[in-house]
């Protein structure tokens, strides 16, 4: 397990910045969950879909495993992903307990976070040893994180475009994802760590796309609300005129 890159001040700065932003990203759903739990009486409709949290948990678990067997990884990556695991488990548990789709959520957790992770762990430990295990896991790590970096934001972007509503998108989470990805991308480039360059780059690109989509449909929602308000006002004026004409 590697330490902080104290010999490279710029890499150290991006490492700390990325860690802080990632922690803020894991904490960003808390207001939503707090509002649902304490203000809305466990109204699960106030929550977003559970899939991003389940996928994020898998990514955190894979990062922890990779960090534990790869001596070149910075220990800050281990700490932040343990932090992420804890909060993702909390969010998933709330969904699992109070969502009407318990079977679907349970199956997704079993397939991704239990079976797939266990399969990766067992195969890499049984079939390869030492340096070979690290190399094979690095490829698996690269492929899986690249896929998850695309799937999570893509599903959100698709939902927003399909419904033409930003209700299911959290702008600050997208902003933190973009800033965090930029920080980690700069960090891994500075220390020449190729394992997470592609996932960080993909996450950065899709984070920017998410924010662009959010801004586009935010104004669309505003225009729709204004149009609806104008229609209601016009209808009210017509009704008043009709009532006035009736009594005149």
């Amino acid at each position: 397990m590697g330490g902080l890159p104290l010999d490279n001040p710029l890499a150290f700065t991006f490492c700390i910045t990325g860690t802080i932003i990632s922690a803020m990203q894991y904490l960003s759903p808390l207001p939503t969950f707090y509002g649902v739990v304490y203000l809305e009486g466990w109204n699960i409709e106030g929550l977003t879909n559970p899939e991003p949290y389940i996928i994020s948990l898998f990514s955190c678990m894979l990062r922890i495993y990779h960090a534990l067997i790869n001596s070149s990884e910075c220990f800050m990556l281990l700490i932040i992903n343990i932090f992420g695991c804890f909060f993702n488990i909390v969010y998933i548990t709330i969904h699992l307990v109070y969502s009407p789709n318990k079977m679907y959520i349970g199956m997704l957790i079993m397939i991704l976070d239990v079976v797939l992770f266990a399969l990766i762990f067992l195969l890499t430990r049984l079939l390869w040893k030492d340096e070979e295990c690290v190399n094979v896991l690095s490829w698996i790590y690269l492929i899986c994180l690249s896929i998850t970096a695309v799937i999570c934001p893509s599903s959100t972007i698709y939902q927003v475009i399909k419904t033409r509503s930003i209700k299911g998108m959290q702008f600050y989470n997208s902003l933190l994802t973009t800033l965090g990805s930029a920080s980690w991308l700069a960090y891994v480039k500075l220390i020449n760590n190729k394992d997470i360059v592609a996932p960080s780059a993909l996450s950065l690109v899709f984070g920017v796309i998410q924010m662009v989509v959010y801004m586009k449909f935010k104004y669309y929602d505003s225009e729709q609300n204004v149009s609806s308000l104008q229609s209601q006002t016009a209808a009210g004026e017509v009704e008043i005129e009709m009532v006035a004409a009736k009594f005149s």
Side-chain angles (χ1 to χ4, degrees):
M1 180 64 60
L4 290 170
L6 298 176
D7 57 332
N8 188 333
L10 196 56
F12 173 79
T13 301
F14 280 117
C15 179
I16 297 299
T17 303
T19 301
I20 294 172
I21 294 174
S22 295
M24 292 171 63
Q25 182 182 352
Y26 290 128
L27 292 172
S28 64
L30 277 178
T32 300
F33 281 85
Y34 177 83
V36 169
V37 173
Y38 292 103
L39 303 181
E40 300 180 20
W42 294 106
N43 179 12
I44 198 68
E45 293 180 359
L47 298 177
T48 55
N49 293 330
E51 290 89 346
Y53 304 111
I54 297 172
I55 295 172
S56 178
L57 177 60
F58 172 75
S59 298
C60 288
M61 293 165 62
L62 195 58
R63 288 188 181 109
I64 290 170
Y65 178 37
H66 185 264
L68 287 173
I69 70 168
N70 189 352
S71 59
S72 64
E73 284 284 19
C74 174
F75 77 92
M76 293 299 290
L77 287 172
L78 177 63
I79 293 173
I80 193 58
N81 283 292
I82 292 174
F83 184 83
C85 271
F86 173 77
F87 280 96
N88 279 314
I89 289 172
V90 171
Y91 302 146
I92 292 169
T93 300
I94 294 174
H95 276 286
L96 188 60
V97 171
Y98 293 95
S99 173
N101 300 318
K102 293 181 176 62
M103 184 66 70
Y104 168 73
I105 297 174
M107 287 180 61
L108 194 59
I109 294 169
M110 182 61 65
I111 292 170
L112 192 62
D113 296 335
V114 178
V115 175
L116 182 58
F117 180 78
L119 191 62
I120 291 172
F121 178 81
L122 290 174
L123 288 178
T124 52
R125 301 306 292 178
L126 294 175
L127 298 181
W128 295 280
K129 301 295 182 182
D130 302 327
E131 192 64 29
E132 286 185 354
C133 178
V134 174
N135 292 334
V136 171
L137 182 61
S138 294
W139 278 104
I140 296 173
Y141 177 78
L142 174 63
I143 293 169
C144 288
L145 292 191
S146 297
I147 292 173
T148 57
V150 172
I151 290 176
C152 285
S154 294
S155 61
T156 304
I157 292 168
Y158 171 76
Q159 190 67 24
V160 171
I161 294 174
K162 181 181 177 181
T163 60
R164 306 183 75 81
S165 172
I166 58 172
K167 184 178 180 181
M169 180 182 285
Q170 299 174 345
F171 176 76
Y172 291 109
N173 189 51
S174 300
L175 177 61
L176 291 171
T177 298
T178 305
L179 295 175
S181 299
S183 297
W184 286 119
L185 181 61
Y187 167 71
V188 297
K189 289 294 289 182
L190 287 168
I191 66 170
N192 197 29
N193 184 342
K194 299 178 181 179
D195 291 339
I196 54 176
V197 170
S200 297
L202 286 170
S203 185
L204 175 60
V205 170
F206 277 91
V208 172
I209 294 174
Q210 274 187 303
M211 289 193 294
V212 171
V213 170
Y214 180 92
M215 296 306 296
K216 174 179 174 59
F217 286 96
K218 178 183 178 181
Y219 289 116
Y220 176 83
D221 278 353
S222 299
E223 290 172 0
Q224 290 293 99
N225 291 335
V226 170
S227 177
S228 176
L229 183 60
Q230 289 175 343
S231 299
Q232 291 175 7
T233 303
E237 290 175 352
V238 170
E239 186 175 350
I240 291 172
E241 289 176 359
M242 290 175 64
V243 172
K246 183 178 179 180
F247 289 97
S248 62

